């Protein structure tokens, strides 16, 4: 079998890997749960390549990500549930339905108008899903995936709640809520109640995610950038320790903090 630019070759390869006769033993052992985390990891690796603007890596990572729906669809086909054709039909049907201003008779109008129609159609779809599940009253929080990173999910939950005007009026009101939650963390910590500290820190993080939304900031991306910045600065601290011939663990906080302030000052200048 030879590589190809045609997606049908990828489908053939996946089917061969899962073939009980002559297939790959590892691939044959997998199920939806066992490869679920690979699906998530591949999406993150695509995002990482985009942030690094590495188009060579992006091409490769998109291929790894593309394999995941092919893999899941192959296993579903083996169970008689659906195949990759059903998946492709479903997404094409959804895109056509959600873009009546492109594929129908509606005027495209502005970007805001198009987004409004998209949201209205999604609301109808959520209602239809709730009906299929036997739920008479769909929630605006339906379809916010539990597996999203917690910070991203918190931001999305508050965004959904805001659609029915359950929201703080402005940035300053959310800032006050963050300060209130921080005070409650300190109070819980002083009480020595570990469960209360856990709960209050969760409330604080949720409030900060809401603050980011009100500021027009992607909370998940902001924290990810902060992680990168911390890593880069800490690498500098480690390098300065090596220059001075001292192990970081033995350098002492005062020296480490001095190195840290050096790289902070360099960043600001």
């Amino acid at each position: 079998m030879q590589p190809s630019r045609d997606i049908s070759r990828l489908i053939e390869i996946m089917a061969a890997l899962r073939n009980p006769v002559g297939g790959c033993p590892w691939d044959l052992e997998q199920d939806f749960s066992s490869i679920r985390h690979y699906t998530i990891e591949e999406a993150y690796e695509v995002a990482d390549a985009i942030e690094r603007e590495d188009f060579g890596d992006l091409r490769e990572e998109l291929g790894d990500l593309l394999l995941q729906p092919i893999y899941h669809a192959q296993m579903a086909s083996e169970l008689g549930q659906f195949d990759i054709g059903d998946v492709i039909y479903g997404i094409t049907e959804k895109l056509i339905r959600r873009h009546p201003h492109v594929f129908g008779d509606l005027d495209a109008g502005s970007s805001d108008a198009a987004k409004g129609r998209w949201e209205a159609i999604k609301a109808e779809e959520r209602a239809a899903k709730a009906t299929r599940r036997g739920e008479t009253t769909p929630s605006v929080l339906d379809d916010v995936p539990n597996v999203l990173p917690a910070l991203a999910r918190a931001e999305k939950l508050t965004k959904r709640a805001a659609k029915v005007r359950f929201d703080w009026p402005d940035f300053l009101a959310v800032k006050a809520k963050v300060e209130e939650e921080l005070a409650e963390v300190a109070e819980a910590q002083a009480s020595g109640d570990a469960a209360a500290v856990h709960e209050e820190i969760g409330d604080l993080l949720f409030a900060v995610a809401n603050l980011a939304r009100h500021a027009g900031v992607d909370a998940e991306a902001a924290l990810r950038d902060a992680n990168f910045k911390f890593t880069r600065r800490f690498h500098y601290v480690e390098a300065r320790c090596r220059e001075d011939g001292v192990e970081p663990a033995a350098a002492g906080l005062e020296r480490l903090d001095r190195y840290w302030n050096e790289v902070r000052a360099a960043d600001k200048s």
Side-chain angles (χ1 to χ4, degrees):
M1 188 176 288
Q2 297 297 317
S4 170
R5 295 175 62 88
D6 192 329
I7 195 171
S8 63
R9 180 52 49 85
L10 179 58
I11 296 169
E12 292 171 3
I13 291 171
M14 191 68 253
L17 292 173
R18 292 279 300 181
N19 191 332
V21 180
C24 172
W26 185 88
D27 285 291
L28 286 165
E29 288 178 354
Q30 305 313 306
D31 58 24
F32 296 105
S33 295
S34 68
I35 69 167
R36 177 182 58 182
H37 69 281
Y38 293 115
T39 307
I40 297 169
E41 286 175 10
E42 297 300 352
Y44 277 120
E45 289 177 7
V46 166
D48 179 63
I50 291 170
E51 288 182 354
R52 291 185 286 105
E53 298 184 350
D54 187 328
F55 288 97
D57 273 3
L58 179 58
R59 178 184 62 81
E60 181 178 349
E61 298 301 346
L62 284 170
D64 292 343
L65 181 59
L66 177 60
L67 175 62
Q68 295 302 307
I70 302 294
Y71 206 142
H72 285 284
Q74 174 62 35
M75 292 188 294
S77 177
E78 293 164 8
L79 297 172
Q81 296 295 324
F82 59 83
D83 62 18
I84 191 62
D86 296 317
V87 174
I88 294 170
Y89 180 88
I91 186 58
T92 55
E93 190 275 335
K94 181 187 290 184
L95 287 171
I96 292 168
R97 184 177 69 252
R98 289 185 177 181
H99 293 84
H101 50 288
V102 177
F103 304 109
D105 298 328
L106 289 181
D107 179 53
S110 66
S111 174
D112 286 343
K115 183 179 179 182
R117 281 191 293 270
W118 173 280
E119 293 295 344
I121 293 168
K122 283 181 68 176
E124 293 172 1
E125 291 170 359
R126 284 196 293 272
K129 282 185 179 181
T131 300
R132 288 198 299 272
R133 292 193 298 261
E135 300 170 3
T136 56
T137 53
S139 168
V140 295
L141 303 183
D142 285 347
D143 299 333
V144 179
N146 290 324
V147 296
L148 280 176
L151 196 63
R153 187 164 190 265
E155 187 173 358
K156 194 157 190 174
L157 288 170
T158 62
K159 185 178 180 180
R160 285 282 187 90
K163 291 183 183 301
V164 294
R165 303 186 184 280
F166 187 73
D167 195 12
W168 296 101
D170 52 35
F171 179 87
L172 290 177
V174 188
K175 177 176 175 288
K177 182 62 177 175
V178 170
E179 292 167 348
E180 175 189 321
E181 296 295 352
L182 182 59
E184 290 180 3
V185 169
E187 183 180 337
Q189 180 69 18
S191 75
D193 186 335
V197 173
H198 174 98
E199 180 179 353
E200 296 300 344
I201 287 180
D203 290 345
L204 174 62
L205 291 170
F206 191 91
V208 169
N210 203 14
L211 183 73
R213 180 178 63 83
H214 273 263
V217 171
D218 181 329
E220 190 71 27
L223 182 57
R224 189 163 58 248
D225 289 345
N227 288 339
F228 285 137
K229 180 170 67 176
F230 177 87
T231 301
R232 176 176 54 78
R233 287 178 174 179
F234 194 78
H235 286 166
Y236 174 88
V237 170
E238 291 175 317
R240 290 287 284 113
C241 285
R242 287 192 295 271
E243 288 176 10
D244 287 354
V246 60
E247 289 294 323
L253 180 58
E254 183 177 349
R255 182 194 292 249
L256 295 176
D257 198 43
R258 185 169 72 249
Y259 296 155
W260 181 270
N261 287 331
E262 288 174 6
V263 68
R264 279 189 65 200
D267 284 346
K268 290 181 179 180
S269 65

